[in-house]
Amino acid sequence: MRGIDVFAIFNFYQSNNSSIAIKMKSQPITIKDIARILGISPSTVSRALKDHPDISPKTKQLVQTFAEKVNYRPNALALSLRSSKTNTIGIVIPEIVHHFFSTVISGIEDVAYGRGYNAIICQTNENYQREVIDLQALVDNRVDGILISMSKNTHEFAHFENLKENGVPVVFFDRICEQISSDRVIADDFEGARIATRHLIDKGCKKIMHLAAPQHLLIGKNRKEGYCSALKEHKLSCDDRLIVKCDTRETVFARADDIIRLAPEVDGIFAVNDSTAIAAMQVLQRNGYSIPKDIAVVGFGDGPNANIAYPPLTTVEQKGYDIGQAAMRLLIGHIENNVDEEEYETKIFTPELVERASSQLGTEY
Amino acid sequence: MRGIDVFAIFNFYQSNNSSIAIKMKSQPITIKDIARILGISPSTVSRALKDHPDISPKTKQLVQTFAEKVNYRPNALALSLRSSKTNTIGIVIPEIVHHFFSTVISGIEDVAYGRGYNAIICQTNENYQREVIDLQALVDNRVDGILISMSKNTHEFAHFENLKENGVPVVFFDRICEQISSDRVIADDFEGARIATRHLIDKGCKKIMHLAAPQHLLIGKNRKEGYCSALKEHKLSCDDRLIVKCDTRETVFARADDIIRLAPEVDGIFAVNDSTAIAAMQVLQRNGYSIPKDIAVVGFGDGPNANIAYPPLTTVEQKGYDIGQAAMRLLIGHIENNVDEEEYETKIFTPELVERASSQLGTEY
DNA sequence: TAATTCGTCGCAACCGTTTGCGGTGTCGTT
DNA sequence: AACGACACCGCAAACGGTTGCGACGAATTA
């Protein structure tokens, strides 16, 4: 008897729903809807859907097939509110357009999806204000944890402290914040720069110019020091005169005169990143220098550009994918073992040299 | 009297909170917490925080300053659950690493932030399954709307239909779905290809090769037809023999033999995208051809690669930023005027030629 | 003095889901 | 006949916030 009634309503609902679906935007169906239609309580529906032993097989069957038919999906907002667990993590990065960050994201996402987490990506465009706003929005939406790579223009850290006060686990990667104690995953910039510079020396370079990033950035500092270290290793002097401050395509062109002035006495260039290296090659080529015949060049952070450059650029690969995976694993550890131990970990990935034409000093390409 | 009491508790709470903040992760403070501490009801707190006229100035002052002190922030989940409005939109794209999509995202975000929306980005990696999962997750989290650029491998569209049934506004951009009626924002691939091909003809090319994407993709089809149209405009024949199917760096190298075989009789190349164009230039250069002296080359979709290439690549710019802005504006329109009119709009952006060295036929670079 | 108004505030319901606990009905047991 | 055991299901509270409505005291008015 009851069964017949129920299925009558069932069918009515179905046809009714599909007919109105054409005219109006139907709200997603809820457990309460199902309960009302089937004439049972929401709690029973909830339990039936998750095979709770208190529910009779018949009821389970009824509810489950009905839920299937109407394509029921639990409201994630309600679940999160009740459980205070969103299964979502936030990623805050300066710019997604950078190949390095894109690969980091891929690493993060692959681990995240595998463990049932969703990732929401925020880009700050190197803007401090945006970083503050993005982090606040993530906290407001109760993400379970956050992965951050700092903006270049961030010099205050209250918004980071704020995360800890709100109990949000955080892992910094690449652009870490020295003033905040936390888990960290970084590329070994010092060692990478040393490898790159050593390579130039091995290729026969005697006087190597360095195109450097601002020294208040860890990246800039560490890469410069790695460069100096390799020079000293080989009894070469680390001359400040050979260090030109430019770390983007634009700044290279802006300081082109300085580079050209130094070029005659130089036979190698180590640039703080690939686009700087490529821009420098172009500046030199336009001024009559041949690369790598006259001057060998090495970049940093292998992106797809390195292959496209003329000549193809020797560079050190930064292992963004691995860094992303490691960062996500660390974060999950903090989220799931709600251990309050402030035992922070730092993982370091050493870059690897990718040798191409641009560093073969003395050869024609 | 009462004031003194309250502030005593206030101060107690403060010191207590800061002391435990060191040892344990404190949950974010809620309206209920504030109500309990101040000895008033949650409703009063809620109203005080939003300057409701029913609340006395004293109470408002008390609540507001206290909320400020403890850095109260409303729980976005709770707000969304009640209002069924998340102020969040979803972006589903194949790959963020592509410069075009990155710029689209910037356009979207700038409009979104300006109108009080957050954006959550999902990349499908050109994977149909991932696209289904991502869309489902967005719906589960009750985003207010979704912007999609389809994956290459999507041939079923039930998951798109599902969005409409759930009443989620959708705008397709760039990689639109022809089978689903919806708002669309696209680049005029046909016209762009025609402009690019015309440019080669203007530069003196008589026989132009086309490196084409698969013809089941709209992009591939439209760009090829634009190419043919320009040829016919100038009484040149559109010879299928001159069309080589390759649309990535890898496929260019795979079909390098075909390209080289055709090269002697060709004086121009129009490639379906920039990386294909650049790879083709490299293949030709390695085989003794000089560009643009022997063969002029034009790409499609100006990315930063075009500047880095040797020689710098002439290409047509796709206006990703504008497309992103337009798509987001359309979406907001649908979200905020809950008009059920199925009056769908299609916005078309015509690319612009960016002339560089690679297309200056007959000249030395 | 009694009735009305106004200024302040709290109760309770709601959004969608979960879950402890208690209630009902049907057995079988003594 | 009375009891406990068990299967099955619903009530209500909770997550955090909002809001219609009613309550209460004080001040104003008739």
Side-chain angles (χ1 to χ4, degrees), chain A residues 171-205:
Chain A
V171 175
F172 280 86
F173 66 91
D174 194 52
R175 304 258 205 93
I176 64 171
C177 178
E178 285 187 304
Q179 287 80 358
I180 300 281
S181 59
S182 70
D183 275 318
R184 296 168 178 171
V185 181
I186 49 177
D188 192 338
D189 286 322
F190 177 85
E191 192 57 28
R194 205 153 66 151
I195 291 170
T197 310
R198 243 187 234 146
H199 173 70
L200 284 172
I201 297 172
D202 290 346
K203 288 294 172 181
C205 295

Side-chain angles (χ1 to χ4, degrees), chain B residues 30-308:
Chain B
T30 73
I31 269 195
K32 295 189 182 181
D33 293 331
I34 296 179
R36 193 171 353 96
I37 294 168
L38 297 185
I40 56 183
S41 80
S43 21
T44 303
V45 176
S46 173
R47 291 189 175 101
L49 288 175
K50 38 186 37 138
D51 260 331
H52 193 285
D54 269 11
I55 307 300
S56 74
K58 292 166 204 161
T59 310
K60 276 183 191 172
Q61 178 67 21
L62 175 68
V63 171
Q64 286 171 2
T65 62
F66 183 73
E68 182 95 5
K69 285 282 178 193
V70 299
N71 196 17
Y72 166 76
R73 298 235 88 216
N75 183 325
L77 294 174
L79 288 178
S80 300
L81 179 59
R82 179 158 221 280
S83 63
S84 42
K85 181 86 166 61
T86 53
N87 289 314
T88 299
I89 61 108
I91 305 175
V92 179
I93 50 171
E95 293 194 317
I96 54 179
V97 69
H98 288 348
H99 184 259
F100 172 70
F101 288 121
S102 300
T103 57
V104 173
I105 288 177
S106 294
I108 294 171
E109 284 191 335
D110 285 354
V111 173
Y113 279 79
R115 301 284 298 261
Y117 287 87
N118 283 81
I120 112 173
I121 305 164
C122 304
Q123 64 172 334
T124 61
N125 290 314
E126 305 283 11
N127 181 334
Y128 165 71
Q129 287 299 337
R130 186 76 161 253
E131 191 173 270
V132 175
I133 293 172
D134 282 340
L135 284 180
Q136 191 58 260
L138 290 174
V139 174
D140 289 350
N141 283 283
R142 300 295 187 271
V143 292
D144 294 336
I146 297 180
L147 298 171
I148 314 181
S149 199
M150 260 176 59
S151 149
K152 276 185 194 174
N153 302 311
T154 296
H155 304 108
E156 303 204 15
F157 313 110
H159 57 311
F160 295 148
E161 297 284 7
N162 184 41
L163 295 178
K164 302 179 95 177
E165 286 167 14
N166 279 319
V168 184
V170 176
V171 175
F172 280 86
F173 65 91
D174 194 53
R175 306 258 205 91
I176 64 170
C177 178
E178 285 188 303
Q179 287 79 359
I180 300 281
S181 60
S182 70
D183 276 317
R184 296 167 176 173
V185 182
I186 49 177
D188 191 339
D189 285 321
F190 177 86
E191 192 57 29
R194 204 153 68 149
I195 291 171
T197 310
R198 244 186 233 145
H199 173 68
L200 284 172
I201 298 172
D202 290 346
K203 287 294 171 181
C205 296
K206 303 291 180 200
K207 203 158 181 188
I208 300 173
M209 172 164 37
H210 176 40
L211 308 181
Q215 295 300 299
H216 69 268
L217 293 182
L218 268 183
I219 287 182
K221 189 156 144 275
N222 291 337
R223 293 185 189 171
K224 186 196 121 184
E225 285 174 359
Y227 153 81
C228 288
S229 164
L231 292 181
K232 286 172 188 162
E233 248 177 31
H234 291 78
K235 317 281 183 216
L236 297 173
S237 70
C238 179
D239 187 353
D240 263 0
R241 218 171 41 81
L242 295 180
I243 297 178
V244 179
K245 300 217 179 303
C246 50
D247 63 338
T248 62
R249 214 177 149 71
E250 293 70 30
T251 48
V252 166
F253 292 133
R255 308 210 49 182
D257 289 346
D258 296 336
I259 295 173
I260 292 305
R261 196 174 314 121
L262 288 167
E265 48 175 315
V266 153
D267 56 5
I269 295 182
F270 165 55
V272 72
N273 59 48
D274 281 358
S275 38
T276 301
I278 292 171
M281 291 199 299
Q282 292 177 336
V283 164
L284 291 169
Q285 285 163 341
R286 280 175 207 165
N287 284 272
Y289 291 91
S290 169
I291 291 169
K293 194 160 180 293
D294 305 328
I295 301 179
V297 178
V298 174
F300 199 113
D302 184 45
N305 290 345
N307 261 315
I308 287 170

